[in-house]
Amino acid sequence: MAMTRFFVWVGLLTALGIGSIAFAGEDFGSGNVDCNDTEADFRNAGAAGITVGNRNIYAGYDQITGINQNPVIAAYDAVTGERVFCRADYEQTGVDGRAAALHYNGEQVYVYIRVDGGFTGQIMNAEPSDNVRSWTRSVGPANSGNFAYVAGINTENGNLEGAAFITAVLTNGNANSVGITGFECTETGRVRILADSFFNPRKINGQKMTQTVSGSSPFDYTIEFTPDLLNVTYTAAIGWEADGTSSSVIPCPDSSLSAIGGNLDVVPDGVITLQDALFVVNRVGQPANNNPTDVNGDNTINAADAQAVLRQIGVVIP
């Protein structure tokens, strides 16, 4: 490949200002993955993914048996593609656990883990025993349902830092299903969660809210936590009397990955740019070793890989 001509193109395209595209501060996905997978595998499986600083963070699940899944969270260096961590030890019981979404509010990364199926006793390996509200510490005596578990993630090692269960409440006091549908950022840094409540939505103290307009479940439910997830500060649901004081919602930082690019987006930021081409060119002749720069999958990093990425940004070099 004519390297001199390539770098002429580099200077020209840089001058033209090849840009990127913006994303929201959350991503939902459902990818079947495990800790033997590459970053490309996580992306291609449809796992949730966001970019925070120099980390690409992914959330999915490992299919342990035909009826059992365990949540998986992994992070990769956004520049080198090297794995920073991969963890599959958050839930290892017989219930179905899936890491289904990631959220970034500018300070902290949060994960939503959906827990399904019958169980008793402890579910997650990190249960929030220090929470102010007892109903967020566990799902209590319930033995079936689909429950939400939200936790902060340390982006260096995958450790969970603060967590909370979110459930509806039956007339007998037992927990019932809640499914998270979105996150919002607030000016106070509180974690604002949007969900479907499949029975009575809860007040701050965990008791059922007062219904003001008749309706049937699921109910649109909003709940706010302090940033450390230790305390509930506000709950509201359509047709029910709100409890507590709501924070003002602000735009979330751009952080989510997109599905654009696949293996050609070798610096996975959701868009194929000159940075991807430079990353490949600088590694031509190196061993592949599952490196994302081997974009054509022939186990060598060569001119063909660089050409493939260049073509995606409109540059063709004879």
Side-chain angles (χ1 to χ4, degrees):
M1 183 167 69
M3 297 301 289
T4 300
R5 265 185 287 179
F6 171 72
F7 283 107
V8 170
W9 277 108
V10 168
L12 175 61
L13 291 171
T14 301
L16 291 175
I18 298 295
S20 61
I21 53 179
F23 305 100
E26 68 180 31
D27 190 40
F28 283 72
S30 183
N32 184 355
V33 293
D34 63 49
C35 285
N36 294 315
D37 286 342
T38 66
E39 180 171 14
D41 292 330
F42 274 82
R43 291 175 64 86
N44 294 336
I50 61 174
T51 297
V52 176
N54 65 342
R55 295 281 186 270
N56 295 330
I57 305 166
Y58 299 88
Y61 66 92
D62 187 6
Q63 190 76 40
I64 304 300
T65 69
I67 58 172
N68 182 28
Q69 300 87 29
N70 288 349
V72 178
I73 301 173
Y76 293 82
D77 189 291
V79 176
T80 67
E82 294 179 359
R83 180 183 293 163
V84 179
F85 68 81
C86 185
R87 299 281 297 273
D89 58 346
Y90 304 113
E91 179 274 307
Q92 296 175 312
T93 67
V95 306
D96 301 339
R98 302 186 185 212
L102 293 166
H103 169 64
Y104 179 58
N105 67 353
E107 297 291 335
Q108 176 70 58
V109 175
Y110 298 91
V111 62
Y112 159 42
I113 296 176
R114 190 183 71 205
V115 183
D116 303 343
F119 51 81
T120 56
Q122 181 168 323
I123 307 166
M124 306 299 298
N125 289 342
E127 297 225 328
S129 58
D130 295 331
N131 284 8
V132 174
R133 308 298 170 183
S134 60
W135 66 276
T136 69
R137 299 174 196 161
S138 72
V139 298
N143 58 19
S144 65
N146 307 320
F147 305 113
Y149 174 90
V150 178
I153 303 172
N154 184 314
T155 59
E156 296 299 319
N157 54 30
N159 289 345
L160 300 186
E161 300 177 337
F165 286 97
I166 305 173
T167 60
V169 60
L170 298 172
T171 53
N172 65 3
N174 284 359
N176 205 55
S177 301
V178 163
I180 293 177
T181 59
F183 293 84
E184 291 180 328
C185 295
T186 68
E187 63 181 5
T188 60
R190 293 178 183 173
V191 185
R192 185 179 174 96
I193 298 171
L194 310 178
D196 287 331
S197 177
F198 286 86
F199 211 78
N200 301 311
R202 295 182 187 260
K203 296 192 295 185
I204 290 173
N205 65 7
Q207 300 299 309
K208 80 179 185 75
M209 300 171 71
T210 300
Q211 192 167 19
T212 57
V213 178
S214 61
S216 58
S217 70
F219 302 101
D220 290 330
Y221 187 39
T222 299
I223 181 169
E224 287 184 13
F225 287 88
T226 51
D228 56 12
L229 301 173
L230 290 177
N231 198 10
V232 182
T233 58
Y234 174 73
T235 64
I238 295 177
W240 299 73
E241 186 176 345
D243 186 25
T245 303
S246 173
S247 300
S248 297
V249 175
I250 60 174
C252 289
D254 296 337
S255 62
S256 293
L257 295 172
S258 82
I260 298 173
N263 291 338
L264 298 177
D265 185 17
V266 295
V267 182
D269 56 1
V271 62
I272 302 170
T273 67
L274 202 55
Q275 187 178 11
D276 299 294
L278 284 168
F279 195 73
V280 176
V281 167
N282 289 333
R283 284 155 183 80
V284 167
Q286 295 182 7
N289 295 330
N290 292 321
N291 195 300
T293 51
D294 179 21
V295 298
N296 63 7
D298 64 357
N299 295 318
T300 61
I301 303 172
N302 51 32
D305 297 303
Q307 289 275 26
V309 182
L310 284 167
R311 281 194 293 270
Q312 295 300 308
I313 58 174
V315 178
V316 177
I317 297 178

